[in-house]
Amino acid sequence: MPGFLTTHVLDTARGCPAEGIKILLYRVSGNSHRKIAEAVTNADGRTDVPILPEGDFKPGTYELIFFAGDYLRATGQAGAEPLFLDQVPIRFGMSEDDHYHVPLLLSPYGYSTYRGS
């Protein structure tokens, strides 16, 4: 199976998918970051298509940046400025042709991630 990358965001404080979160995907090489994709989460907290589709997949180091602060402000969950969580970066490696799924579980004061399926 050719490799590809998907992601989604769940709002663990409200117990629902996080709609409207802007996500940027970068390929990382040393100190160099090259933006290769941009998406916004839909009503299910997912991107409409894989953020890195099969044809664009290459093994390497990547970074997802989730613009969580905009979402927290829009949903009334933001605290005082500056927010504790605003832009959430997740750096990870993809070493083989496979489906990688990197979700973000978000609340105003914490987050977690894992390699999903």
Side-chain angles (χ1 to χ4, degrees):
M1 164 188 356
F4 63 103
L5 172 65
T6 57
T7 187
H8 77 277
V9 185
L10 297 174
D11 182 332
T12 57
R14 295 172 60 213
C16 62
E19 181 179 8
I21 293 187
K22 177 179 160 183
I23 306 168
L24 301 180
L25 175 64
Y26 290 87
R27 183 166 172 87
V28 179
S29 179
N31 290 326
S32 171
H33 287 65
R34 184 172 55 89
K35 185 174 99 170
I36 57 174
E38 183 173 333
V40 175
T41 57
N42 59 25
D44 196 32
R46 300 175 182 276
T47 58
D48 291 330
V49 297
I51 195 156
L52 185 64
E54 289 179 2
D56 297 336
F57 180 87
K58 294 179 188 168
T61 302
Y62 292 83
E63 188 168 88
L64 287 164
I65 307 286
F66 297 87
F67 286 74
D70 295 338
Y71 170 81
L72 294 171
R73 288 180 193 95
T75 58
Q77 298 182 78
E81 296 286 341
L83 298 183
F84 182 70
L85 294 176
D86 195 354
Q87 294 181 18
V88 176
I90 300 174
R91 187 175 293 187
F92 55 96
M94 297 189 292
S95 59
E96 54 194 46
D97 281 342
D98 202 355
H99 174 200
Y100 287 82
H101 183 69
V102 179
L104 176 68
L105 283 64
L106 176 67
S107 76
Y109 298 103
Y111 68 91
S112 65
T113 190
Y114 56 93
R115 179 174 175 186
S117 56

